[in-house]
Amino acid sequence: MESVKMAQMACPFLARTPVSALRQMSVSSANSASMSACPHALPALSTPVPASAGGVMASVRQAAAAASLLESKSNRVAASTSTSALFKAAQSCPVFGHALAVQSVRRLGARQFHSATMAHTASIASTSTEQDMGRVPPRPFDAIPKPHSKPASASKKATGSAKGVSEEPAPGGFNYDDFFKEQLERKHKDKSYRYFNNINRLAQLYPMAHTGTGEHVTVWCSNDYLGMSKHPEVVEAMKVTIDKYGAGAGGTRNIAGNAQLHLSLERELASLHNKDAALVFSSCFVANDATLSTLASKMPGCVLFSDSSNHASMIQGIRNSRAQKHVFKHNNLEHLESLLKQYDLSTPKIIAFESVYSMSGYIGHIKEIAALAKKYNAITFLDEVHAVGMYGETGAGVAEYIDGMDEMDIITGTLGKAYGVVGGYIAASASLIDMVRSYAPGFIFTTSLPPAVMSGALTAVRHLKTSPVERAGQQLHTRMLKSTLSDLGIPVVPNPSHIVPVLVGDAETAKSVSDELLHRFKIYVQSINYPTVAVGEERLRITPTPGHGPELMDGLVGALKTIWTERGLKTEADWMREGGKAGVGVVGGEMDQLVRAEDLKDMMDRAYPYALDTLSGKQAVKSA
């Protein structure tokens, strides 16, 4: 009876039919009763529901509830060989027919989903990781019917191709696919299109990797600066943690994703930088973006001052804040001060800069900027991404090495470079950290990093707090390589850090040299083009690690020497004759290494029980 009343509410035509007639139809077979009670069911009268009925959508919503009861009742009352006349009429009705179809799909989908999922779950244990090589098992959801889905042939016809992204636009419509292709063509024309090499680093053969074809190559451009990604303590910690806690975090930090390992890592990072607190993010890109955009947008009238060579993550955060900004010339203190003095002390100000600029290897003026910040009542935001783990007594970065860490208000770092895992973080005062934690969407609304990642990062941070071995080996090999390339006239951009940029000066040539190193000499060094570096300053970015010993170094130097000679590429002397470029060939452009020779010797003496000269240390320290 309830289904009959709901049907009358949904359809104005059924509303005019006596209840006794509807009741008779609900218990009569379709073969023995008239099916004309609902004019909707008659082709000549299958017109939209009048406005008095509340419109089509209202009718459908009402009919959906009635349909569920009607279908259930019909299944109970009608025999297996017969269906009630009312149910048959409802199927023919545009309103009720749609509602019944939805109910049927829901029931069928639920049954097939449950069946397929259970079967898939039972087979997970026998599924090999070889699916990554092309043998991927079918997904359990593929068999579930989808309402209103078009046949594959119809879809293919509409798009013109199974791989198409959209239909042909209507006359005057925007052509999305053409737009995408035009943007890519611009990248190809200016030689800034990015090619990704298939490089699979081998933990047991570090710093070797295999390519997509299985060939072994030596990786000379990884940001795993100290080889911590394969360190046995880090790997073992991650294995133990994943066995205990599983693969994923389970949610955001606010919902089931806030584990003890997250809290322990944050305490360790706060201690590392001598700050009240720290906050871990999914990456340092997110950390920089979220922190700058949140702080600058919340502080009324905030003005941002950004170094012109800052990383894209900081630029994005500044843009997202929509706050007023000034970009000062790279490492130019005079320009920075000229901008700061334009504002009253009461105006909130943030100075954002880096300690190590990753493409040039230059070092930021940390203490000098701190002094300006104090003078003009600004707070400092220091990106130590390419320095944490690498510099300082405990690996806290350049600020620690030069004794300027306490003068920085906010320090950001990564867990994905020298620490060998993944993730980013900020360290600052307790109130600032809590504000970012409470307001930053990039922190709040994303799944937290898995426990195994937290465990590996925590182990790496603690290890590098006390071990000088990795830093000593990296610094030694950097000095050796810079000195050797300089002796050969191969143009290294002079800088005081661990980065070894080799200037090529042309995007297409840089890519070609990178390809030749890979395919001919089995050496992987990525080329760096615009917009990462300025046009005309394209380069190879080389990053020696503790694992790049003399034999591997001889191979790299020999390959570069061969390529430079055969191709007639510009040497340091050639750049000097042209007036210099990117610091190469500039008179007086030489720079001392940040890590002093005596500090390196001390690290080596503490790291190795044998004489420094057994690792070619005499030449390296002498050339510092």
Side-chain angles (χ1 to χ4, degrees):
M1 187 65 186
E2 184 180 356
S3 64
V4 170
K5 290 181 178 179
M6 294 180 70
Q8 286 184 313
M9 292 173 60
C11 177
F13 300 100
L14 290 180
R16 303 193 195 109
T17 305
V19 172
S20 59
L22 292 175
R23 186 182 299 113
Q24 179 61 35
M25 289 179 67
S26 70
V27 296
S28 304
S29 70
N31 296 328
S32 61
S34 170
M35 293 169 49
S36 61
C38 176
H40 280 173
L42 301 178
L45 295 175
S46 57
T47 57
V49 179
S52 61
V56 174
M57 290 309 299
S59 294
V60 170
R61 283 194 296 269
Q62 293 171 347
S68 180
L69 292 172
L70 184 61
E71 183 183 30
S72 175
K73 182 176 181 181
S74 179
N75 289 340
R76 292 196 308 270
V77 174
S80 59
T81 58
S82 175
T83 302
S84 75
L86 181 60
F87 184 72
K88 195 71 176 178
Q91 284 182 313
S92 302
C93 173
V95 175
F96 274 97
H98 175 75
L100 287 168
V102 170
Q103 291 295 328
S104 178
V105 167
R106 283 177 179 168
R107 289 189 176 87
L108 176 62
R111 288 196 298 272
Q112 291 195 3
F113 176 86
H114 176 74
S115 176
T117 302
M118 292 302 292
H120 177 66
T121 302
S123 68
I124 283 178
S126 63
T127 302
S128 167
T129 56
E130 290 180 356
Q131 63 183 278
D132 292 332
M133 302 301 290
R135 293 191 290 276
V136 183
R139 296 174 296 170
F141 314 112
D142 290 343
I144 299 176
K146 298 175 179 61
H148 313 300
S149 60
K150 296 179 181 179
S153 58
S155 176
K156 202 179 248 189
K157 183 177 179 181
T159 60
S161 168
K163 297 181 180 179
V165 297
S166 63
E167 298 179 11
E168 285 296 318
F174 187 84
N175 193 314
Y176 295 95
D177 203 45
D178 281 356
F179 173 77
F180 302 148
K181 290 174 181 177
E182 287 169 7
Q183 294 299 304
L184 291 171
E185 185 59 26
R186 289 173 57 184
K187 284 285 184 183
H188 284 291
K189 284 182 177 179
D190 66 15
K191 309 302 179 185
S192 66
Y193 183 80
R194 295 176 186 265
Y195 295 88
F196 295 165
N197 287 306
N198 186 340
I199 300 294
N200 309 273
R201 298 187 309 122
L202 298 164
Q204 303 305 317
L205 297 176
Y206 164 86
M208 305 295 288
H210 72 74
T211 66
T213 63
E215 276 191 308
H216 281 200
V217 298
T218 307
V219 178
W220 274 94
C221 58
S222 169
N223 284 338
D224 185 11
Y225 294 132
L226 302 179
M228 291 302 293
S229 68
K230 57 82 184 175
H231 194 285
E233 292 177 12
V234 173
V235 173
E236 182 60 24
M238 296 183 76
K239 287 179 179 178
V240 170
T241 304
I242 203 167
D243 284 343
K244 184 174 184 178
Y245 294 114
T252 65
R253 289 290 292 272
N254 187 52
I255 305 175
N258 187 52
Q260 181 59 48
L261 282 165
H262 295 79
L263 304 177
S264 297
L265 177 59
E266 287 171 344
R267 282 197 296 268
E268 195 72 38
L269 293 169
S271 169
L272 176 71
H273 294 290
N274 198 26
K275 302 298 180 190
D276 295 339
L279 197 63
V280 172
F281 293 78
S282 56
S283 74
C284 202
F285 191 108
V286 176
N288 286 351
D289 181 2
T291 302
L292 284 170
S293 61
T294 299
L295 292 178
S297 63
K298 288 297 180 183
M299 290 191 289
C302 181
V303 181
L304 288 147
F305 301 84
S306 175
D307 189 287
S308 62
S309 292
N310 274 346
H311 188 264
S313 59
M314 301 166 75
I315 295 171
Q316 193 63 42
I318 292 169
R319 285 175 177 164
N320 288 340
S321 74
R322 295 182 173 83
Q324 185 177 356
K325 69 176 185 297
H326 292 284
V327 178
F328 61 92
K329 297 174 185 176
H330 178 51
N331 270 349
N332 191 313
L333 297 171
E334 291 76 16
H335 189 210
L336 173 59
E337 184 168 16
S338 72
L339 297 170
L340 286 167
K341 65 173 55 173
Q342 297 177 20
Y343 296 90
D344 191 82
L345 294 179
S346 63
T347 301
K349 295 175 283 291
I350 302 174
I351 305 173
F353 66 111
E354 301 182 36
S355 61
V356 176
Y357 292 87
S358 63
M359 294 301 143
S360 64
Y362 296 154
I363 302 292
H365 298 308
I366 295 174
K367 285 193 168 184
E368 294 82 355
I369 289 178
L372 288 175
K374 185 175 181 180
K375 181 178 178 179
Y376 294 100
N377 192 32
I379 61 174
T380 51
F381 181 100
L382 176 63
D383 180 310
E384 290 258 35
V385 163
H386 292 272
V388 289
M390 303 289 291
Y391 299 92
E393 185 68 20
T394 64
V398 174
E400 181 189 32
Y401 183 74
I402 66 172
D403 195 26
M405 191 162 59
D406 292 344
E407 300 175 56
M408 293 293 102
D409 296 295
I410 308 166
I411 294 176
T412 75
T414 183
L415 305 169
K417 292 182 171 60
Y419 291 125
V421 194
V422 69
Y425 65 89
I426 63 172
S429 67
S431 57
L432 188 150
I433 292 295
D434 201 18
M435 179 185 168
V436 174
R437 183 190 70 86
S438 301
Y439 284 97
F443 173 80
I444 298 170
F445 300 106
T446 189
T447 301
S448 61
L449 289 171
V453 169
M454 297 291 94
S455 180
L458 180 60
T459 302
V461 171
R462 286 174 173 170
H463 175 83
L464 290 176
K465 266 189 171 183
T466 59
S467 173
V469 175
E470 293 80 11
R471 285 189 286 275
Q474 198 284 327
Q475 285 289 328
L476 174 65
H477 293 158
T478 297
R479 292 167 182 267
M480 290 173 61
L481 182 59
K482 284 184 175 181
S483 176
T484 304
L485 293 177
S486 178
D487 290 343
L488 294 172
I490 294 176
V492 175
V493 176
N495 69 79
S497 74
H498 59 282
I499 310 295
V500 186
V502 176
L503 182 64
V504 178
D506 176 78
E508 190 170 12
T509 304
K511 174 66 170 64
S512 176
V513 170
S514 174
D515 290 342
E516 184 173 359
L517 283 169
L518 182 63
H519 299 297
R520 179 179 175 186
F521 296 98
K522 312 309 174 191
I523 291 171
Y524 174 47
V525 178
Q526 185 63 39
S527 60
I528 308 297
N529 299 332
Y530 177 84
T532 307
V533 296
V535 174
E537 296 185 6
E538 293 82 2
R539 63 198 63 184
L540 303 175
R541 180 180 180 272
I542 302 172
T543 53
T545 73
H548 290 97
E551 185 177 348
L552 293 178
M553 196 171 299
D554 287 345
L556 172 66
V557 171
L560 290 173
K561 181 180 178 182
T562 299
I563 291 173
W564 247 253
T565 301
E566 292 180 353
R567 291 178 174 232
L569 299 179
K570 292 179 183 177
T571 63
E572 185 174 355
D574 294 326
W575 286 111
M576 181 176 291
R577 282 190 289 271
E578 294 184 8
K581 175 76 75 173
V584 175
V586 176
V587 177
E590 300 82 5
M591 296 185 187
D592 293 331
Q593 290 299 106
L594 174 67
V595 176
R596 297 178 291 270
E598 56 270 26
D599 293 336
L600 175 57
K601 184 179 184 304
D602 178 64
M603 276 195 291
M604 296 293 294
D605 287 341
R606 288 187 292 118
Y608 301 102
Y610 42 88
L612 191 60
D613 60 342
T614 59
L615 292 176
S616 304
K618 285 182 177 178
Q619 179 187 358
V621 172
K622 188 175 181 180
S623 65

